[in-house]
Amino acid sequence: MKPWEKNIRKVEPYIAGEQPDNKNMIKLNTNECPYPPSEKVTEAIREIEKNTAMLRLYPDKTMAPLIRALARFYNVEEDMVFAGVGSDDVIANCFLTFFNSDKPVLFPEITYSFYPVWADLYNIPYETPHLKEDFTIDTDDYIRENGGIIIPNPNAPTSVYMELGEVEKIVRANPASVVIIDEAYIDFGGESAIELTKRYDNLLVVQTFSKSRSMAGMRIGYAIGCRELISALNDVKNSINSYTLNYVSILAGEAAVKDKEYFDRIRKKVIETRENTKKRLSELGFTYPDSKTNFIFATHKAYDMTALFNYLRDNNVFVRHWDNPLIKDYLRITIGTDEEMEKLFEKIKEFMEK
């Protein structure tokens, strides 16, 4: 070992879904939206192209146009909104800001695999309560002493949604802890906890532009909570990097939020395709938790899911699979276009026949 190596922080990094760049591939492995963003986003970018001299300046560190649009969309005050470079950046700032107790932070044993990475990176103790056999959360597991709570709702990769009353039960029972509800997929089903932020000052709700707003490449995430939580988040952000979102992302994000008609139309289309996909998977003997997301977490008693994953991959159809013993018998299938799902089913049937 070289003398300086002993001072390097050692972590097991988060492993994102594969990002292939194959010709004619069907990419159903990273939960991106299969449709382009609103035309209003394109128009905003074209306007920026006419005034590229602005790019020589730092962007507005308050992100005022985007913050204002989000506040109006969700009917909250502007000082209740925080934005960052994707929800990953927002949640990483939340871990730094709110999880500073010697008591363990709580999140489910099967969940977004970035949570334990952040906890290890920032030396935050944590515990992971078991899910029930049907992948649902037992709310009683989160009503005990803790240093904070973070729960995705709907959960990933299981796709399971927890009713808002159960979310409120956890928030109400933990007045001494910050409870974060990660709602990356809430726009595809279920009821957001944002309204609860007006009644509970220990609740923070995080959402993203990467799924329902078709803007994963723009990297925009945001959080909504009481002004004290948002102020604390901004203090931490400004101690790391004041200019988190770039000029283009701020104005493109603003344009996306203002086009509610397109937002609703795309959500509806993804949901329709999801419901049709669930029906067709059932007809082929697959089972899955009832999805409220833009993906399905599916298994089949008669077939090896690792073998199916590899067969699909060899045929240029990419879905997600984990080696985790708790979920190795499942595939996470992102909802694509109707044409992409047809190709998926064609290859699944080929695999079954072989």
Side-chain angles (χ1 to χ4, degrees):
M1 178 180 289
K2 296 175 183 178
W4 45 263
E5 285 187 272
K6 66 180 183 297
N7 296 318
I8 294 176
R9 187 183 296 277
K10 304 293 195 305
V11 294
E12 287 290 330
Y14 169 73
I15 299 175
E18 187 175 5
Q19 293 286 2
D21 188 23
N22 300 346
K23 187 178 180 180
N24 300 319
M25 68 176 177
I26 306 298
K27 190 170 183 294
L28 307 174
N29 69 329
T30 48
N31 296 344
E32 295 138 323
C33 184
Y35 304 105
S38 160
E39 180 60 29
K40 297 286 199 285
V41 172
T42 306
E43 292 172 6
I45 293 173
R46 286 180 184 142
E47 286 300 312
I48 294 167
E49 288 176 345
K50 296 177 184 177
N51 189 23
T52 55
M54 289 296 295
L55 299 181
R56 70 182 179 82
L57 303 174
Y58 285 111
D60 174 7
K61 71 175 185 178
T62 70
M63 300 167 282
L66 177 60
I67 296 295
R68 187 182 307 118
L70 287 167
R72 289 176 179 172
F73 187 88
Y74 291 108
N75 191 30
V76 298
E77 298 298 324
E78 291 179 28
D79 58 4
M80 293 178 66
V81 184
F82 173 91
V85 187
S87 59
D88 288 340
D89 177 56
V90 173
I91 297 171
N93 274 283
C94 288
F95 269 64
L96 269 175
T97 306
F98 304 122
F99 298 160
N100 291 294
S101 168
D102 56 359
K103 300 168 186 173
V105 169
L106 306 178
F107 49 82
E109 64 173 336
I110 303 173
T111 193
Y112 186 30
S113 51
F114 226 141
Y115 297 163
V117 174
W118 285 315
D120 289 338
L121 179 63
Y122 301 137
N123 293 320
I124 298 168
Y126 67 92
E127 293 178 5
T128 55
H130 298 308
L131 296 179
K132 297 179 184 178
E133 191 172 339
D134 61 357
F135 293 133
T136 57
I137 286 172
D138 186 341
T139 55
D140 289 340
D141 288 336
Y142 296 85
I143 302 176
R144 59 186 171 94
E145 200 169 35
N146 62 78
I149 295 170
I150 182 165
I151 296 173
N153 193 38
N155 198 2
T158 66
S159 79
V160 176
Y161 168 71
M162 180 168 54
E163 294 293 337
L164 191 58
E166 295 298 288
V167 173
E168 184 171 10
K169 177 182 175 183
I170 292 173
V171 176
R172 186 173 57 241
N174 289 281
S177 300
V178 174
V179 179
I180 301 170
I181 304 299
D182 182 356
E183 293 187 340
Y185 303 99
I186 196 66
D187 294 326
F188 301 108
E191 189 177 358
S192 173
I194 286 175
E195 278 302 308
L196 296 180
T197 63
K198 299 173 182 178
R199 304 206 304 271
Y200 296 95
D201 61 7
N202 63 321
L203 171 63
L204 194 76
V205 178
V206 178
Q207 293 193 14
T208 177
F209 279 56
S210 297
K211 317 301 179 185
S212 56
R213 296 192 186 275
S214 308
M215 294 175 70
M218 276 290 181
R219 310 308 300 127
I220 306 171
Y222 54 99
I224 295 176
C226 78
R227 55 182 53 86
E228 290 84 2
L229 293 181
I230 300 304
S231 176
L233 267 176
N234 277 311
D235 286 346
V236 168
K237 182 202 79 166
N238 290 331
S239 300
I240 300 170
N241 179 7
S242 296
Y243 304 100
T244 49
L245 277 181
N246 65 67
Y247 183 60
V248 179
S249 292
I250 291 169
L251 297 184
E254 176 195 20
V257 174
K258 288 181 174 180
D259 195 352
K260 187 176 186 301
E261 180 183 353
Y262 184 82
F263 171 66
D264 289 336
R265 185 162 75 248
I266 292 304
R267 287 193 305 154
K268 181 180 178 183
K269 179 58 180 171
V270 171
I271 291 169
E272 287 173 350
T273 303
R274 179 191 71 200
E275 294 307 302
N276 181 56
T277 301
K278 286 159 64 174
K279 179 181 177 183
R280 294 182 66 180
L281 284 171
S282 295
E283 290 170 352
L284 292 174
F286 285 86
T287 57
Y288 45 83
D290 184 29
S291 173
K292 297 296 184 183
T293 63
N294 67 335
F295 62 87
I296 297 171
F297 196 54
T299 188
H300 199 300
K301 290 183 178 180
Y303 298 94
D304 184 288
M305 291 297 98
T306 303
L308 174 55
F309 166 77
N310 288 325
Y311 183 83
L312 292 172
R313 190 177 186 278
D314 290 343
N315 284 273
N316 240 7
V317 179
F318 294 85
V319 297
R320 193 83 192 266
H321 177 260
W322 287 267
D323 292 329
N324 183 331
L326 296 172
I327 54 175
K328 67 180 179 60
D329 296 326
Y330 286 80
L331 296 180
R332 192 192 69 186
I333 304 168
T334 302
I335 300 302
T337 64
D338 291 334
E339 294 75 20
E340 287 172 331
M341 304 316 286
E342 285 296 334
K343 186 69 173 180
L344 168 73
F345 281 109
E346 175 189 323
K347 295 304 174 184
I348 288 176
K349 290 175 182 177
E350 280 184 12
F351 172 82
M352 289 177 161
E353 289 168 1
K354 289 177 182 295

